Short mmCIF file of all heavy atoms in Angstrom, two decimals:
data_model
loop_
_atom_site.label_atom_id
_atom_site.label_comp_id
_atom_site.label_asym_id
_atom_site.label_seq_id
_atom_site.Cartn_x
_atom_site.Cartn_y
_atom_site.Cartn_z
N TRP W 134 134.62 -66.28 250.50
CA TRP W 134 134.95 -67.66 250.81
C TRP W 134 134.56 -67.94 252.25
O TRP W 134 134.37 -67.02 253.05
CB TRP W 134 136.43 -67.96 250.57
CG TRP W 134 137.32 -67.29 251.57
CD1 TRP W 134 137.81 -66.02 251.51
CD2 TRP W 134 137.79 -67.84 252.80
NE1 TRP W 134 138.55 -65.75 252.62
CE2 TRP W 134 138.56 -66.85 253.44
CE3 TRP W 134 137.63 -69.07 253.42
CZ2 TRP W 134 139.17 -67.06 254.67
CZ3 TRP W 134 138.25 -69.27 254.65
CH2 TRP W 134 139.01 -68.27 255.25
N ARG W 135 134.46 -69.22 252.56
CA ARG W 135 134.15 -69.62 253.94
C ARG W 135 134.57 -71.07 254.16
O ARG W 135 134.66 -71.86 253.23
CB ARG W 135 132.67 -69.46 254.25
CG ARG W 135 131.80 -70.40 253.46
CD ARG W 135 130.33 -70.12 253.69
NE ARG W 135 129.56 -70.98 252.81
CZ ARG W 135 128.62 -71.78 253.24
NH1 ARG W 135 128.31 -71.84 254.50
NH2 ARG W 135 127.96 -72.53 252.39
N PHE W 136 134.82 -71.37 255.42
CA PHE W 136 135.06 -72.76 255.78
C PHE W 136 133.71 -73.47 255.74
O PHE W 136 132.68 -72.88 255.99
CB PHE W 136 135.66 -72.87 257.18
CG PHE W 136 137.06 -72.36 257.26
CD1 PHE W 136 137.37 -71.25 258.02
CD2 PHE W 136 138.09 -73.00 256.59
CE1 PHE W 136 138.66 -70.78 258.11
CE2 PHE W 136 139.39 -72.53 256.66
CZ PHE W 136 139.67 -71.41 257.43
N SER W 137 133.73 -74.76 255.43
CA SER W 137 132.49 -75.49 255.26
C SER W 137 132.39 -76.65 256.26
O SER W 137 133.20 -76.78 257.17
CB SER W 137 132.39 -75.99 253.83
OG SER W 137 131.07 -76.41 253.53
N TRP W 138 131.40 -77.51 256.08
CA TRP W 138 131.04 -78.50 257.09
C TRP W 138 132.09 -79.58 257.31
O TRP W 138 132.23 -80.09 258.42
CB TRP W 138 129.67 -79.11 256.80
CG TRP W 138 129.54 -79.81 255.47
CD1 TRP W 138 129.11 -79.26 254.30
CD2 TRP W 138 129.84 -81.18 255.20
NE1 TRP W 138 129.13 -80.22 253.30
CE2 TRP W 138 129.56 -81.41 253.83
CE3 TRP W 138 130.28 -82.24 255.97
CZ2 TRP W 138 129.73 -82.64 253.23
CZ3 TRP W 138 130.46 -83.48 255.36
CH2 TRP W 138 130.18 -83.66 254.01
N SER W 139 132.86 -79.97 256.31
CA SER W 139 133.92 -80.97 256.52
C SER W 139 134.98 -80.42 257.48
O SER W 139 135.48 -81.13 258.35
CB SER W 139 134.60 -81.33 255.20
OG SER W 139 133.69 -81.91 254.31
N TYR W 140 135.30 -79.17 257.30
CA TYR W 140 136.26 -78.48 258.16
C TYR W 140 135.73 -78.40 259.59
O TYR W 140 136.45 -78.68 260.55
CB TYR W 140 136.51 -77.08 257.58
CG TYR W 140 137.32 -76.17 258.45
CD1 TYR W 140 138.70 -76.23 258.44
CD2 TYR W 140 136.71 -75.21 259.24
CE1 TYR W 140 139.46 -75.37 259.20
CE2 TYR W 140 137.45 -74.35 260.02
CZ TYR W 140 138.83 -74.43 260.00
OH TYR W 140 139.57 -73.57 260.78
N ILE W 141 134.46 -78.06 259.73
CA ILE W 141 133.85 -77.95 261.07
C ILE W 141 133.85 -79.31 261.76
O ILE W 141 134.11 -79.41 262.97
CB ILE W 141 132.44 -77.35 260.96
CG1 ILE W 141 132.53 -75.90 260.48
CG2 ILE W 141 131.69 -77.46 262.28
CD1 ILE W 141 131.23 -75.29 260.02
N MET W 142 133.59 -80.39 261.01
CA MET W 142 133.65 -81.73 261.60
C MET W 142 135.05 -82.04 262.14
O MET W 142 135.19 -82.72 263.15
CB MET W 142 133.27 -82.78 260.57
CG MET W 142 131.82 -82.91 260.31
SD MET W 142 131.57 -84.27 259.16
CE MET W 142 129.86 -84.57 259.41
N GLY W 143 136.07 -81.55 261.47
CA GLY W 143 137.43 -81.72 261.96
C GLY W 143 137.63 -81.07 263.32
O GLY W 143 138.24 -81.65 264.22
N TRP W 144 137.09 -79.88 263.51
CA TRP W 144 137.21 -79.20 264.81
C TRP W 144 136.38 -79.90 265.89
O TRP W 144 136.80 -79.98 267.05
CB TRP W 144 136.80 -77.73 264.70
CG TRP W 144 137.92 -76.90 264.16
CD1 TRP W 144 137.97 -76.30 262.94
CD2 TRP W 144 139.16 -76.60 264.80
NE1 TRP W 144 139.16 -75.64 262.78
CE2 TRP W 144 139.91 -75.80 263.92
CE3 TRP W 144 139.71 -76.92 266.03
CZ2 TRP W 144 141.18 -75.32 264.23
CZ3 TRP W 144 140.99 -76.43 266.35
CH2 TRP W 144 141.70 -75.65 265.46
N VAL W 145 135.23 -80.42 265.52
CA VAL W 145 134.44 -81.19 266.49
C VAL W 145 135.20 -82.46 266.89
O VAL W 145 135.20 -82.86 268.06
CB VAL W 145 133.04 -81.52 265.93
CG1 VAL W 145 132.27 -82.44 266.86
CG2 VAL W 145 132.25 -80.24 265.68
N ALA W 146 135.91 -83.08 265.94
CA ALA W 146 136.72 -84.26 266.25
C ALA W 146 137.84 -83.92 267.22
O ALA W 146 138.21 -84.75 268.06
CB ALA W 146 137.29 -84.86 264.96
N VAL W 147 138.40 -82.71 267.14
CA VAL W 147 139.42 -82.28 268.11
C VAL W 147 138.83 -82.35 269.52
O VAL W 147 139.43 -82.91 270.44
CB VAL W 147 139.90 -80.84 267.83
CG1 VAL W 147 140.75 -80.31 268.97
CG2 VAL W 147 140.69 -80.77 266.53
N VAL W 148 137.65 -81.79 269.69
CA VAL W 148 137.00 -81.77 271.00
C VAL W 148 136.67 -83.18 271.48
O VAL W 148 136.95 -83.54 272.64
CB VAL W 148 135.72 -80.90 270.95
CG1 VAL W 148 134.95 -80.98 272.26
CG2 VAL W 148 136.08 -79.45 270.63
N LEU W 149 136.13 -84.00 270.60
CA LEU W 149 135.74 -85.36 271.00
C LEU W 149 136.94 -86.23 271.34
O LEU W 149 136.89 -87.00 272.31
CB LEU W 149 134.89 -86.02 269.91
CG LEU W 149 133.48 -85.47 269.77
CD1 LEU W 149 132.80 -86.04 268.54
CD2 LEU W 149 132.66 -85.75 271.01
N THR W 150 138.02 -86.13 270.57
CA THR W 150 139.20 -86.93 270.90
C THR W 150 139.84 -86.45 272.20
O THR W 150 140.37 -87.25 272.97
CB THR W 150 140.23 -86.95 269.76
OG1 THR W 150 140.56 -85.61 269.40
CG2 THR W 150 139.70 -87.71 268.55
N PHE W 151 139.76 -85.15 272.46
CA PHE W 151 140.28 -84.63 273.73
C PHE W 151 139.47 -85.20 274.91
O PHE W 151 140.03 -85.68 275.89
CB PHE W 151 140.25 -83.11 273.76
CG PHE W 151 140.68 -82.53 275.07
CD1 PHE W 151 142.02 -82.49 275.42
CD2 PHE W 151 139.74 -82.05 275.97
CE1 PHE W 151 142.42 -81.98 276.65
CE2 PHE W 151 140.13 -81.54 277.19
CZ PHE W 151 141.48 -81.50 277.53
N PHE W 152 138.15 -85.14 274.79
CA PHE W 152 137.32 -85.65 275.89
C PHE W 152 137.43 -87.17 276.02
O PHE W 152 137.32 -87.69 277.13
CB PHE W 152 135.85 -85.23 275.73
CG PHE W 152 135.62 -83.82 276.16
CD1 PHE W 152 135.12 -82.89 275.27
CD2 PHE W 152 135.91 -83.41 277.45
CE1 PHE W 152 134.92 -81.57 275.66
CE2 PHE W 152 135.71 -82.10 277.85
CZ PHE W 152 135.21 -81.18 276.95
N SER W 153 137.65 -87.88 274.93
CA SER W 153 137.86 -89.33 275.06
C SER W 153 139.15 -89.60 275.80
O SER W 153 139.22 -90.52 276.62
CB SER W 153 137.84 -90.00 273.69
OG SER W 153 138.90 -89.55 272.88
N GLY W 154 140.18 -88.81 275.55
CA GLY W 154 141.42 -88.95 276.30
C GLY W 154 141.24 -88.61 277.77
O GLY W 154 141.77 -89.29 278.65
N MET W 155 140.46 -87.58 278.05
CA MET W 155 140.19 -87.20 279.45
C MET W 155 139.42 -88.30 280.17
O MET W 155 139.75 -88.66 281.30
CB MET W 155 139.40 -85.89 279.52
CG MET W 155 140.18 -84.67 279.12
SD MET W 155 141.55 -84.32 280.23
CE MET W 155 140.69 -83.93 281.72
N ASP W 156 138.38 -88.82 279.54
CA ASP W 156 137.58 -89.87 280.18
C ASP W 156 138.41 -91.13 280.42
O ASP W 156 138.32 -91.74 281.48
CB ASP W 156 136.36 -90.22 279.33
CG ASP W 156 135.26 -89.18 279.44
OD1 ASP W 156 135.34 -88.31 280.33
OD2 ASP W 156 134.32 -89.24 278.63
N SER W 157 139.21 -91.51 279.43
CA SER W 157 140.05 -92.70 279.60
C SER W 157 141.10 -92.48 280.69
O SER W 157 141.40 -93.39 281.45
CB SER W 157 140.73 -93.06 278.28
OG SER W 157 139.75 -93.40 277.33
N SER W 158 141.64 -91.28 280.76
CA SER W 158 142.60 -90.97 281.81
C SER W 158 141.94 -91.00 283.18
O SER W 158 142.52 -91.49 284.15
CB SER W 158 143.24 -89.61 281.57
OG SER W 158 143.97 -89.62 280.38
#
Side-chain angles (χ1 to χ4, degrees):
W134 70 275
R135 66 186 175 125
F136 291 114
S137 194
W138 59 268
S139 298
Y140 172 83
I141 293 166
M142 282 184 163
W144 279 110
V145 174
V147 170
V148 174
L149 288 172
T150 54
F151 176 76
F152 281 120
S153 63
M155 289 296 294
D156 284 349
S157 296
S158 297

